[in-house]
Amino acid sequence: MKRVIIFASGAGSNAENIIRYFQNSKKISVEKVFCNKKEAGVFNRCKKLAIDCEWFSREDFSYSNKILKALQKETDFIVLAGFLWKIPENIVAAFPNKIINIHPALLPKYGGKGMYGMHVHNAVKNSGDLETGITIHFVNEHYDEGGVIFQAKTQLKVSDSPEDIAQKIHILEYEYFPKLIEKTILKDGN
């Protein structure tokens, strides 16, 4: 059984979708969720799903080995589902090609520090692009620069608002993210 820990920072809709997808899996188990915001909605979602959700501080994550040690004991893969902090190099080094993220745009467009959520959707709208999508990728030591696993596209209308774009992206995220996590984990031989 491959063990997964999810990192989240917000409402947790993607985390919930992933947890539900793997609830009855005989090959992959979501062990817990780590969250860096005490007031995040993901805590309530995890409570309803009977999944442990643990808060951690910046100190624990970035300046000590506390989270790294917990991960090494408890997981085979890490999934970022709306997690906004950069992953420290010690964790990236300990889990090469075993940290999976989803980005709400077609990387390399609209990636990098500060490019998340509505920031991305506003940038897409302001660009006039008539196509956007999602990128599922491995995490390395740089924001949004790890190897691409998968991209899915959606067409936009000139009249689409940033909120409309966000809705189209959420549909792609819910459809593809759990399936690609599963495919990536099961393809991994270790």
Side-chain angles (χ1 to χ4, degrees):
M1 177 78 71
K2 295 288 187 178
R3 302 164 302 155
V4 172
I5 286 184
I6 297 172
F7 279 75
S9 292
S13 61
N14 266 323
E16 179 178 354
N17 189 40
I18 294 162
I19 292 164
R20 287 188 184 282
Y21 185 86
F22 290 113
Q23 274 181 330
N24 298 312
S25 174
K26 303 223 183 311
K27 296 181 179 181
I28 297 170
S29 167
V30 176
E31 299 295 306
K32 73 163 47 171
V33 175
F34 278 117
C35 183
N36 60 318
K37 290 188 177 178
K38 288 183 180 179
E39 70 284 354
V42 72
F43 285 100
N44 288 332
R45 290 178 191 266
C46 287
K47 186 175 182 180
K48 289 177 188 171
L49 295 166
I51 292 285
D52 184 33
C53 189
E54 183 178 324
W55 175 80
F56 62 91
S57 69
R58 172 76 76 177
E59 176 67 31
D60 292 342
F61 188 62
S62 298
Y63 306 110
S64 80
N65 285 324
K66 182 177 179 181
I67 299 299
L68 173 62
K69 287 179 183 174
L71 291 169
Q72 288 173 321
K73 285 183 203 169
E74 299 178 50
T75 195
D76 301 300
F77 279 82
I78 300 163
V79 173
L80 309 184
F83 185 70
L84 303 181
W85 287 354
K86 186 176 178 186
I87 304 299
E89 289 185 24
N90 63 337
I91 295 175
V92 172
F95 292 91
N97 290 329
K98 294 187 185 299
I99 306 172
I100 303 168
N101 186 39
I102 190 165
H103 186 76
L106 297 170
L107 292 174
K109 283 184 158 188
Y110 313 112
K113 185 175 171 124
M115 291 305 287
Y116 60 90
M118 289 308 293
H119 298 288
V120 173
H121 307 315
N122 284 317
V124 170
K125 173 65 179 174
N126 292 335
S127 76
D129 285 356
L130 294 178
E131 180 179 76
T132 190
I134 59 168
T135 303
I136 298 168
H137 65 96
F138 290 114
V139 172
N140 66 14
E141 59 278 358
H142 305 288
Y143 282 110
D144 302 324
E145 292 184 14
V148 171
I149 298 167
F150 176 83
Q151 290 185 313
K153 298 176 182 178
T154 187
Q155 299 304 307
L156 302 176
K157 298 177 195 162
V158 173
S159 61
D160 282 342
S161 68
E163 291 75 19
D164 294 330
I165 295 169
Q167 190 59 35
K168 289 180 178 188
I169 293 300
H170 286 308
I171 290 167
L172 292 177
E173 289 173 340
Y174 297 159
E175 178 181 354
Y176 289 107
F177 200 22
K179 292 176 192 170
L180 267 295
I181 292 167
E182 180 178 47
K183 184 176 179 182
T184 303
I185 290 173
L186 295 180
K187 187 174 151 185
D188 180 77
N190 299 324

